[in-house]
Amino acid sequence: MVRETELSVSQLVYPLFISASTTGRTPIPSMPGVDHLGIDAAVDEARSVQALGIPAVLLFGLPAAKDEEGSGAWDDEGIVQLATRAIKSACPDLLVFCDLCLCEYTTHGHCGVLSGTAVDNDATLELLARTAVSQARAGADAVAPSDMMDGRVGALRRALDEEGLEDTPIIAYSAKFASAFYGPFREAADSAPAFGDRRGYQMDPANGAEAVREAVLDADEGADMVMVKPALAYLDVIRRVKEATGLPVAAYNVSGEYAMIKAAAERGLLDERAAVLEALTGIRRAGADIVITYHAKDVARWLDQ
Ligand code: PBG
């Protein structure tokens, strides 16, 4: 009766990795329990996610081919666009969010186009805008820019509005830190940078006030929801961003956070169910309205018991 925080399946988002070179399912070694999915398998997965009561999926694409600019990201017949259409036609009531970034599509693995060895922020905005329009036209219920270029939320909002897509919301990865906890994802998404790192555009883990500034800027540029990522080492940031923006806040319980619990549970060092429910409840207590997590299907089953 006196519990202050509820964790419910209605707050969860389940990420899917859709691969153009997979048919069926292929396990992702760095993320036990998570698979690369061909389009048909992604539709099956979407059906089971919906049956569990999870309201949304977040799509990541592994294209058949990459290039310098990441043109697979805005290909109307690209892997995420095809998967979005297939999932929306099979499960119209399941929300499809599309991660919006170039790193899975560029040969160099950076989140934007290069000028020399640095990412060209402003040239990248145009490519992200094309991608947002293409994803929204394919039926995305929201686009989720994870690139961390400056000014991209405003650029995406203008591009979507100009194309008559003013109803497509933007979920901005606003406070995205340059984190070691993305390691397993980069193997899963084949998106590790070929040289250097992402510290030019992702945030310094030491900076909380800057995270709040980034989130407020995104809100001013028209973000409908803001995100803090990773979640567990940044619970104070979740709270501060919630208080500063008043917007719905999503927290991304990232691949490394998932893999740590999975690995410890496999070795018998942790009780997986208790640890996951405690971690996600903590993320909610910090102020997250929505939690993006690879544990979503397990949590849905546990909460249902
Ligand atoms: C793409 C992107 C990343 C994640 C989500 N979108 C990786 C990165 O920035 O390197 C990480 C998700 C996870 O670790 O679960 N930019």
Side-chain angles (χ1 to χ4, degrees), residues 68-255:
E68 276 288 304
E69 285 200 306
S71 63
W74 61 86
D75 179 354
D76 290 337
E77 301 302 314
I79 184 67
V80 161
Q81 288 82 349
L82 293 175
T84 301
R85 282 192 216 110
I87 293 172
K88 285 308 288 185
S89 83
C91 309
D93 294 333
L94 181 70
L95 296 172
V96 172
F97 302 157
C98 292
D99 183 87
L100 202 177
C101 194
L102 302 182
C103 64
E104 295 107 295
Y105 302 89
T106 52
T107 39
H108 46 77
H110 278 287
C111 301
V113 271
L114 299 180
S115 153
T117 55
V119 170
D120 183 335
N121 187 96
D122 293 1
T124 300
L125 297 183
E126 158 63 21
L127 307 182
L128 296 171
R130 279 188 216 168
T131 307
V133 167
S134 176
Q135 292 178 340
R137 282 204 187 120
D141 293 291
V143 295
S146 66
D147 51 280
M148 285 300 276
M149 298 302 124
D150 289 334
R152 92 271 204 220
V153 173
L156 298 186
R157 185 70 277 155
R158 277 190 298 282
L160 290 166
D161 291 357
E162 275 167 19
E163 296 296 323
L165 296 161
E166 53 276 286
D167 289 337
T168 302
I170 298 175
I171 302 174
Y173 287 66
S174 299
K176 178 171 176 180
F177 292 89
S179 173
F181 292 101
Y182 306 148
F185 172 97
R186 291 184 185 169
E187 191 178 320
D190 188 25
S191 67
F195 61 88
D197 55 44
R198 302 207 203 292
R199 285 184 297 172
Y201 41 103
Q202 298 184 352
M203 290 189 40
D204 181 345
N207 288 5
E210 183 188 4
V212 171
R213 280 202 303 280
E214 290 275 7
V216 169
L217 277 171
D218 284 356
D220 290 346
E221 289 178 28
D224 298 280
M225 194 185 300
V226 288
M227 196 192 303
V228 176
K229 173 185 176 182
L232 291 173
Y234 301 91
L235 296 175
D236 58 321
V237 177
I238 294 173
R239 165 64 51 190
R240 289 171 71 177
V241 164
K242 179 71 196 170
E243 284 173 356
T245 63
L247 283 175
V249 173
Y252 201 139
N253 176 224
V254 299
S255 57

